[in-house]
């Protein structure tokens, strides 16, 4: 069951006051796909008018596609859906293969990055990723369920 997403009615200059704006929100993949895009900026609205830019997903790598030495595409499945995760490597990082983390199929990973839409496809541009133990996926579910309860509460307000 996805969140009942509503667009934010606050002025964009107040978006930074929402605590989720500056953090990586721990969301289910199904919630990433259901998030409402903003027409004026690269942010998304989840829950009751909360604003999200960065996300964290924990799931299993179900496909790996190395497009070039500078870009690898991962599809990560958390049980609620599959999201495309894009890893870019800067040119100065190329000589050292240790700086480039690659994952095999079936690896449980935690991916943190910026939620974007490219050519109509929702994706996460990876900022950081780490392999995790399979039991960490279950812990991730609990964290996401707790955040879902917060997202369904009243919207963040600057009024007293």
């Amino acid at each position: 069951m996805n969140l009942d997403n509503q667009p934010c009615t606050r002025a964009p200059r107040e978006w930074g006051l929402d605590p989720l704006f500056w953090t990586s929100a721990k969301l289910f993949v199904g919630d990433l796909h259901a998030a409402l895009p903003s027409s004026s900026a690269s942010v998304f609205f989840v829950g009751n008018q909360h604003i999200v830019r960065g996300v964290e997903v924990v799931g299993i790598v179900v496909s790996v596609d190395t497009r070039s030495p500078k870009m690898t595409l991962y599809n990560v499945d958390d049980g609620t859906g599959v999201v495309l995760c894009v890893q870019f490597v800067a040119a100065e990082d190329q000589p050292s293969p240790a700086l480039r983390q690659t994952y095999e199929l079936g690896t449980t990973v935690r991916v943190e990055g910026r939620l974007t839409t490219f050519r109509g496809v929702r994706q996460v541009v990876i900022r950081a990723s780490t392999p995790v133990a399979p039991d960490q996926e279950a812990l991730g579910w609990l964290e996401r369920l707790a955040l879902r309860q917060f997202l369904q509460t009243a919207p963040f307000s600057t009024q007293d």
Side-chain angles (χ1 to χ4, degrees):
M1 181 175 143
N2 288 330
L3 291 168
D4 181 26
N5 297 322
Q6 300 173 14
C8 182
T9 57
R10 292 190 312 275
R13 70 177 186 277
E14 296 178 359
W15 288 357
L17 299 175
D18 190 321
L20 289 179
F21 186 78
W22 299 106
T23 63
S24 292
K26 297 179 179 187
L27 297 173
F28 291 113
V29 171
D31 294 336
L32 298 182
H33 289 298
L36 302 174
S38 166
S39 60
S40 62
S42 60
V43 298
F44 295 84
F45 305 120
V46 295
N48 195 355
Q49 302 184 30
H50 291 281
I51 301 151
V52 171
R53 295 185 309 170
V55 296
E56 180 182 298
V57 175
V58 176
I60 298 172
V61 175
V62 294
S63 76
V64 179
D65 184 9
T66 302
R67 294 281 173 103
S68 72
K70 295 183 181 181
M71 181 174 73
T72 302
L73 307 176
Y74 298 101
N75 279 311
V76 176
D77 183 355
D78 75 345
T80 65
V82 178
V83 68
L84 177 65
C85 299
V86 183
Q87 180 182 32
F88 293 103
V89 178
E92 59 270 9
D93 293 343
Q94 289 300 315
S96 175
L99 295 175
R100 184 180 179 119
Q101 180 71 36
T102 57
Y103 302 109
E104 295 180 6
L105 293 178
T107 305
T108 303
V109 295
R110 174 181 291 119
V111 174
E112 180 184 346
R114 185 170 180 96
L115 182 61
T116 63
T117 301
F118 181 69
R119 295 185 180 167
V121 176
R122 201 64 53 91
Q123 66 183 19
V124 177
V125 178
I126 298 174
R127 226 182 340 248
S129 63
T130 55
V132 295
D135 62 335
Q136 292 295 310
E137 186 177 19
L139 178 61
W141 273 73
L142 293 174
E143 293 171 334
R144 281 146 185 78
L145 288 171
L147 181 59
R148 273 178 146 238
Q149 288 179 335
F150 170 75
L151 291 173
Q152 293 171 343
T153 63
F156 179 73
S157 174
T158 58
Q159 307 299 322
D160 288 346

